[in-house]
Amino acid sequence: MIIEPRMRGFICLTSHPKGCEKNVLNQIDYVKSKGAIDGPKKVLVIGASTGFGLASRITSAFGSDAATIGVFFEKAPAEGKTASPGYYNSLAFEAAAGKAGLYAKSINGDAFSNEVKEQTIDLIKADLGQIDLVIYSLASPVRQHPVTGVLHRSVLKPIGDTFTDKTVDFHTGIVSDVTITPCSDEDIANTVEVMGGEDWQMWMDALLNADVLADGAMTVAYSYIGPKVTEPVYRKGTIGMAKDHLEATAFKITDDLAKIGGKAFVSVNKALVTQASSAIPVIPLYISLLYKIMKAEGTHEGCIEQIQRLFSARLYTNGTIPVDEKGRIRIDDWEMNPEVQKEVAELWKGATTENLTSIGDLAGYKSDFLNLFGFGFDGVDYAAEANEMVEIPGLITVVK
């Protein structure tokens, strides 16, 4: 079939297998171009199919020759219907890893479930014995609690006061005001259940109890802080409460890992175009302005540049891992440079539909969004027939 992007709001309903392959190969080429990293050798990535998780798997494998196990929840293809992009990404990654002689296996299922945790542990025991790095990079709006069975849904809302500010429809370029009403206590609790640190803790408890963590093993989860302009709806809103919980969990996990000399870290990463961030009001406008400034300065990074720098300049330098006053790794340092933020704030005040294309990088935002689904890559013939029915050999699918 000929596959074209079909949009519904901030979601693309189709993905292109060849385009997703090109996306993965481009990231692999970037990591290889930066040279070897004296990093991990056996890695588990929870949330391994897109964004920072995929970049972590690529960096581990092609920067450090690591064996990797990826856990994700992706839709397989059906006749006339494409798979989700993460499925095609993972297929491309495993194919490239196989050509390079690197171990790579994947588990497709609900990472919040006990069944997926058990299957992952069985696979580690059978194939790798122990792992030395666990990346936790889940981005789901819902979570069924594995103990209570309750289905929790996260919300993006401010706490206390109604929030009103600018946003942009990145499809049309129209800048308008958005108003979000404050959350309830139940909203906060549900969002923390979904996006907080409990599941990360459950994963690490299960792995530690099963004796599949090597001495000195590290685990890293990803977070975001962001600028003043997004604070009310993000860092000081419901999602911020979940991020606070995630960051506090790192200290608990570090205490638990002390017996094997291990540590847990939260890495605060840069604002980037992802399926999740595209759904957050205000963020697309902020990213459009930020991209313009950082690209002009030569400091702009995508997911793979961020994670390659995290591994090579923070996690694996054979020295002390630098952290901020709250114990977090800051790889958002270039974004949060005071001069960059001052310039964003100035542009924000005057941003309109009419001038956004000149003061911001809306074209770059749109391009990155399409890239998430395998569209817009040079060297891919999008007018040609594509086989949507490709499968990941040996994929372990866990159905509850």
Side-chain angles (χ1 to χ4, degrees):
M1 61 189 285
I2 294 174
I3 303 170
E4 298 177 334
R6 289 197 298 117
M7 299 293 178
R8 187 175 67 196
F10 55 84
I11 296 172
C12 184
L13 301 176
T14 52
S15 61
H16 200 287
K18 287 295 182 183
C20 289
E21 179 185 45
K22 182 65 173 173
N23 186 14
V24 169
L25 294 177
N26 286 350
Q27 292 186 57
I28 290 171
D29 287 344
Y30 176 80
V31 169
K32 290 166 73 172
S33 77
K34 301 299 284 188
I37 300 168
D38 185 14
K41 296 306 175 190
K42 298 177 181 179
V43 180
L44 169 64
V45 182
I46 304 159
S49 53
T50 60
F52 287 122
L54 175 63
S56 301
R57 194 176 191 189
I58 290 170
T59 302
S60 298
F62 291 93
S64 299
D65 290 333
T68 62
I69 292 174
V71 176
F72 48 75
F73 200 13
E74 297 291 350
K75 182 184 72 175
E79 286 289 347
K81 292 185 178 180
T82 66
S84 52
Y87 187 94
Y88 293 137
N89 290 342
S90 300
L91 169 63
F93 170 82
E94 287 202 15
K99 286 181 181 177
L102 297 170
Y103 172 98
K105 287 189 180 178
S106 300
I107 295 172
N108 191 18
D110 179 5
F112 293 130
S113 71
N114 290 331
E115 291 86 349
V116 166
K117 291 178 176 69
E118 290 164 5
Q119 182 66 64
T120 303
I121 287 168
D122 288 345
L123 182 59
I124 294 168
K125 286 181 174 179
D127 289 4
L128 302 181
Q130 292 184 320
I131 50 176
D132 50 28
L133 176 65
V134 180
I135 296 292
Y136 187 84
S137 185
L138 288 190
S140 172
V142 297
R143 175 188 179 214
Q144 183 170 22
H145 198 283
V147 177
T148 66
V150 173
L151 188 68
H152 299 279
R153 296 185 182 277
S154 63
V155 297
L156 177 98
K157 290 185 176 181
I159 296 173
D161 298 314
T162 297
F163 171 82
T164 300
D165 211 325
K166 296 177 182 179
T167 192
V168 65
D169 181 327
F170 62 89
H171 295 302
T172 64
I174 294 173
V175 177
S176 61
D177 283 347
V178 62
T179 296
I180 308 173
T181 56
C183 67
S184 65
D185 289 343
E186 185 179 7
D187 288 332
I188 297 173
N190 277 317
T191 304
V192 171
E193 285 286 347
V194 177
M195 302 179 69
E198 185 185 41
D199 183 63
W200 185 24
Q201 178 88 57
M202 287 179 163
W203 268 100
M204 297 312 298
D205 286 347
L207 295 166
L208 187 61
N209 292 336
D211 193 31
V212 293
L213 295 177
D215 288 345
M218 276 198 299
T219 182
V220 181
Y222 295 136
S223 188
Y224 181 64
I225 294 176
K228 289 283 186 185
V229 71
T230 65
E231 245 184 17
V233 74
Y234 193 88
R235 194 65 206 203
K236 290 186 177 178
T238 50
I239 290 182
M241 295 302 99
K243 296 299 186 184
D244 287 347
H245 188 274
L246 179 78
E247 291 167 14
T249 301
F251 294 101
K252 296 178 183 177
I253 295 174
T254 291
D255 288 343
D256 295 339
L257 296 181
K259 65 183 75 172
I260 62 167
K263 285 189 176 182
F265 293 96
V266 165
S267 174
V268 179
N269 296 356
K270 172 180 178 280
L272 289 169
V273 179
T274 65
Q275 291 184 61
S277 70
S278 298
I280 303 174
V282 184
I283 293 289
L285 179 57
Y286 168 72
I287 289 178
S288 296
L289 300 174
L290 179 71
Y291 273 26
K292 183 82 168 187
I293 295 163
M294 295 190 74
K295 285 180 180 179
E297 286 194 346
T299 57
H300 172 68
E301 295 173 310
C303 281
I304 195 64
E305 292 87 359
Q306 272 267 287
I307 298 304
Q308 195 281 334
R309 184 160 69 95
L310 171 66
F311 276 53
S312 63
R314 298 290 192 276
L315 295 177
Y316 297 102
T317 62
N318 296 318
T320 302
I321 296 173
V323 295
D324 68 7
E325 72 284 354
K326 293 187 177 180
R328 304 170 297 200
I329 299 170
R330 300 299 295 270
I331 205 74
D332 66 339
D333 48 346
W334 296 349
E335 172 189 356
M336 300 310 294
N337 179 301
E339 290 303 313
V340 170
Q341 287 302 312
K342 181 181 177 182
E343 196 169 346
V344 171
E346 286 300 315
L347 291 174
W348 183 275
K349 293 175 188 175
T352 65
T353 303
E354 291 72 27
N355 68 13
L356 184 57
T357 53
S358 61
I359 70 169
D361 185 26
L362 194 60
Y365 191 103
K366 290 179 180 178
S367 176
D368 281 7
F369 182 80
L370 284 171
N371 286 173
L372 296 175
F373 301 90
F375 296 105
F377 287 100
D378 291 337
V380 177
D381 184 359
Y382 292 101
E385 295 271 345
N387 179 17
E388 79 279 12
M389 291 300 294
V390 288
E391 297 183 355
I392 302 173
L395 178 65
I396 300 168
T397 300
V398 179
V399 181
K400 290 169 61 179

